[in-house]
Amino acid sequence: MERNGSSRSLKRNILAVVTAVSWANLVAIAVAFNSAEYASALDKSLLFYDVQRSGKLPPWQRIKWRADSALDDGKAEKMNLTGGYYDAGDNVKFGLPMAFSITLLAWNVVEFGDNLQYTGQLQNLLNNIRWGTDYLLRCYSDSEELWVQVGEPNADHQCWERPEDMDTPRTAYKIDSDNPGSDVAAETAAAFAAASMAFRRADVAYSNTLILSARRIFNFADNYRGKYSDSLAGAVCPFYCSYSGYKDELVWGAAWLYKATRLDLYLQYLITNANSLGGATVTVNAFNWDNKYAGAQLLVAQEILTGTQGLQQGYKDRADGYICQVLPSSISPASTTTYTPGGLLYQTDGSNMQAVTTAAFLLTNYARSLATAKKTIQCGGSQITPAQLTTVAQNQVDYILGNNPKKMSYMVGFGSKYPTQPHHRASSLPSTSALSQKIGCGQGFTYYSSKNPNPNLAMGAIVGGPDKNDNFNDVRSNYAALEPTTYINAPIVGILAVLATNRTSTTTTTASAQLPIALQRF
């Protein structure tokens, strides 16, 4: 959808002079798309999880070209490991990025629950979260055992098959006390804790189950420290190695457990380990499936802004540092992030949109907290207002949706021009309803090499995106630009809900109130 540059400049100029404004005003300023368009994008962003769903599909499945798949996952290990999500365009279930996706989806409910309710999308999002947490609960089969992957990625990547046709090995991998994985275990604890808050009003019993599991698995993560990619290097690397280590996930998990329980145990954990785990000392400029420091630091910074006592100022300083580094240099003298000529945040040549959507989410989230506290932040001597954070975040969302030099939406199915050849097996092969015969491992590459558009729409998928010069080559083999992932989509949900409703979030799902007394006994 074409939008002229003059309106963009006017929007920036208006927002630049705003120094103190309520969150309602922050989201009420001129937008590149109307509320109905943002609402459509929100709906599509959630439909992508239907595309990625593994297992026996539920009756509420909305994407109908997908069918049941991977129904024997875990059978060889005498476990039921069906369900969950495929991470991207392949057919492996990787536990670390899946748990991160679920944490972020739940965080959207925690922060923007009323916006989601107002759009009518809250139940769809809760369905998507629960599909993930049900699977993760099955994976947590013992207090010191967590199944973290199903599928052989090297074998899988040698094939181009529909999930419904998979005949590559579905080996399941686990961590335990002898083979630790603090990173994936603490991330799973974060997912359970965040989801417990998301379900607190919708399903109290389920919420309680999740928080108890979160507490137990966090203990496991903390007591048996180690990187899961050291324990399972041959299975998870180079696909989802834990490059950042596990300390960031321990901070992240503890921050979520404190937010969800308000128990002094987790507050003291954050205070005692502020330096040793890096939460109050490490500044990063990226937030992704591997490195959780920025998200954890922002969670703690929000606590500091609301007056929680005892937490080191270093957490907030590091959160501010992330924000200062991802803002454009025209706003923040401390910026370390490149922006394309068309205005897209650019940090990596592969799946860059993950950096974009996570940054937009954290900017939006932090702007809300700062506005409520009537605070600004300092970046290299410049005062940065909540309004400036909001406009940068919104500009990134608008770029994704089509307000860019190519006039192309990078969300499949949104607008009149979007990628037609996502690097995605299920989307690029005929559905089982269109072609009932099995498509074999090698046979599928005929479709991979085709210049035709994918026969099935991977609705709502946000692809990896354009290069640093805003160029985009819509060719299926260009996986860095064309492969969508669950964790690219997850952060954008809440922002779209805010833009669709054009109203402040006063969600009650954040549940600052204590859990029932019985749950505080462990």
Side-chain angles (χ1 to χ4, degrees):
M1 297 184 183
E2 190 164 346
R3 296 289 186 274
N4 61 56
S6 60
S7 64
R8 249 190 348 261
S9 299
L10 176 61
K11 179 173 63 174
R12 286 197 201 94
N13 292 338
I14 292 172
L15 290 172
V17 300
V18 177
T19 57
V21 64
S22 72
W23 179 256
N25 288 334
L26 287 180
V27 297
I29 296 169
V31 295
F33 298 91
N34 62 42
S35 294
E37 289 169 320
Y38 288 124
S40 174
L42 169 62
D43 184 56
K44 290 174 171 59
S45 73
L46 295 175
L47 279 168
F48 176 58
Y49 292 89
D50 282 31
V51 175
Q52 299 303 105
R53 191 163 287 123
S54 179
K56 184 170 181 56
L57 300 184
W60 41 264
Q61 170 87 2
R62 295 191 289 161
I63 294 291
K64 300 302 183 183
W65 57 263
R66 278 296 321 282
D68 299 344
S69 63
L71 298 181
D72 291 330
D73 278 1
K75 187 176 181 179
E77 293 79 14
K78 297 182 172 54
M79 295 291 302
N80 175 10
L81 300 178
T82 59
Y85 295 99
Y86 306 115
D87 73 298
D90 53 25
N91 298 324
V92 181
K93 295 190 299 197
F94 293 99
L96 183 58
M98 191 193 306
F100 178 64
S101 299
I102 299 305
T103 307
L104 290 186
L105 288 175
W107 198 357
N108 283 295
V109 178
V110 171
E111 294 294 339
F112 308 115
D114 73 314
N115 300 94
L116 289 155
Q117 180 72 54
Y118 196 78
T119 62
Q121 294 293 347
L122 180 58
Q123 188 58 55
N124 285 331
L125 178 51
L126 290 175
N127 286 345
N128 288 347
I129 295 168
R130 188 161 187 161
W131 192 262
T133 50
D134 279 353
Y135 169 75
L136 294 174
L137 286 169
R138 286 194 288 275
C139 290
Y140 186 38
S141 54
D142 183 84
S143 62
E144 295 178 358
E145 181 179 271
L146 176 68
W147 296 88
V148 299
Q149 183 171 309
V150 181
E152 294 277 7
N154 289 297
D156 179 89
H157 284 66
Q158 295 302 311
C159 293
W160 198 258
E161 290 181 305
R162 300 179 293 201
E164 295 82 359
D165 286 339
M166 279 188 292
D167 52 14
T168 52
R170 298 299 290 173
T171 309
Y173 297 90
K174 68 178 179 179
I175 57 169
D176 54 31
S177 57
D178 294 324
N179 302 282
S182 300
D183 30 32
V184 65
E187 179 60 69
T188 304
F192 286 155
S196 78
M197 298 184 73
F199 282 98
R200 191 160 293 170
R201 294 185 180 274
D203 189 333
V204 174
Y206 191 63
S207 174
N208 291 348
T209 296
L210 289 168
I211 198 60
L212 287 172
S213 296
R215 298 187 65 187
R216 292 186 177 115
I217 199 168
F218 184 78
N219 283 353
F220 167 50
D222 194 38
N223 290 337
Y224 300 96
R225 294 191 179 186
K227 290 168 53 173
Y228 93 121
S229 53
D230 286 343
S231 296
L232 302 172
V236 303
C237 292
F239 304 97
Y240 288 103
C241 290
S242 184
Y243 299 104
S244 69
Y246 60 79
K247 291 182 179 180
D248 54 311
E249 276 91 5
L250 289 176
V251 181
W252 174 240
W256 270 112
L257 278 161
Y258 180 64
K259 189 174 182 72
T261 67
R262 314 310 294 174
L263 292 177
D264 188 65
L265 166 68
Y266 300 110
L267 176 62
Q268 293 306 314
Y269 186 95
L270 292 167
I271 293 170
T272 302
N273 296 287
N275 295 333
S276 63
L277 294 180
T281 59
V282 176
T283 301
V284 297
N285 69 350
F287 176 50
N288 52 48
W289 62 263
D290 178 45
N291 196 317
K292 319 299 166 49
Y293 274 124
Q297 289 157 349
L298 192 141
L299 282 173
V300 179
Q302 289 175 320
E303 295 291 341
I304 293 171
L305 286 170
T306 56
T308 301
Q309 298 299 306
L311 290 163
Q312 284 85 334
Q313 179 65 24
Y315 282 109
K316 185 179 181 302
D317 292 341
R318 303 290 84 74
D320 291 356
Y322 166 83
I323 298 295
C324 292
Q325 289 191 75
V326 299
L327 290 172
S329 58
S330 59
I331 296 174
S332 169
S335 175
T336 62
T337 301
T338 298
Y339 280 71
T340 69
L344 181 70
L345 181 152
Y346 199 86
Q347 289 187 337
T348 176
D349 293 333
S351 298
N352 179 64
M353 283 302 186
Q354 180 184 192
V356 178
T357 57
T358 53
F361 176 81
L362 292 186
L363 288 167
T364 302
N365 207 338
Y366 205 33
R368 176 174 177 253
S369 298
L370 290 168
T372 300
K374 296 182 171 57
K375 300 287 187 181
T376 60
I377 64 173
Q378 294 292 319
C379 293
S382 294
Q383 179 178 315
I384 308 296
T385 67
Q388 289 173 297
L389 305 189
T390 302
T391 193
V392 171
Q394 184 178 313
N395 285 343
Q396 296 308 298
V397 172
D398 290 347
Y399 186 109
I400 291 171
L401 296 183
N403 193 26
N404 57 59
K406 292 291 185 184
K407 307 304 177 190
M408 167 180 275
S409 164
Y410 292 103
M411 175 184 283
V412 175
F414 181 84
S416 59
K417 182 182 179 183
Y418 48 80
T420 64
Q421 293 191 35
H423 182 91
H424 190 277
R425 288 161 175 77
S427 172
S428 67
L429 294 162
S431 68
T432 54
S433 59
L435 181 65
S436 60
Q437 299 97 319
K438 178 178 178 176
I439 302 173
C441 169
Q443 185 183 1
F445 284 104
T446 301
Y447 296 92
Y448 174 83
S449 302
S450 168
K451 298 186 184 302
N452 295 327
N454 287 5
N456 306 306
L457 206 60
M459 183 65 76
I462 300 174
V463 298
D467 68 16
K468 61 184 178 182
N469 296 310
D470 300 299
N471 296 317
F472 183 76
N473 186 18
D474 189 8
V475 177
R476 196 172 294 111
S477 59
N478 185 12
Y479 62 87
L482 269 298
E483 189 165 19
T485 70
T486 57
Y487 45 87
I488 291 177
N489 267 58
I492 205 171
V493 171
I495 313 170
L496 290 170
V498 169
L499 293 169
T501 56
N502 198 23
R503 65 199 289 269
T504 182
S505 178
T506 56
T507 178
T508 56
T509 54
T510 52
S512 58
Q514 297 277 344
L515 287 176
I517 295 298
L519 283 180
Q520 296 181 24
R521 303 192 190 101
F522 180 59

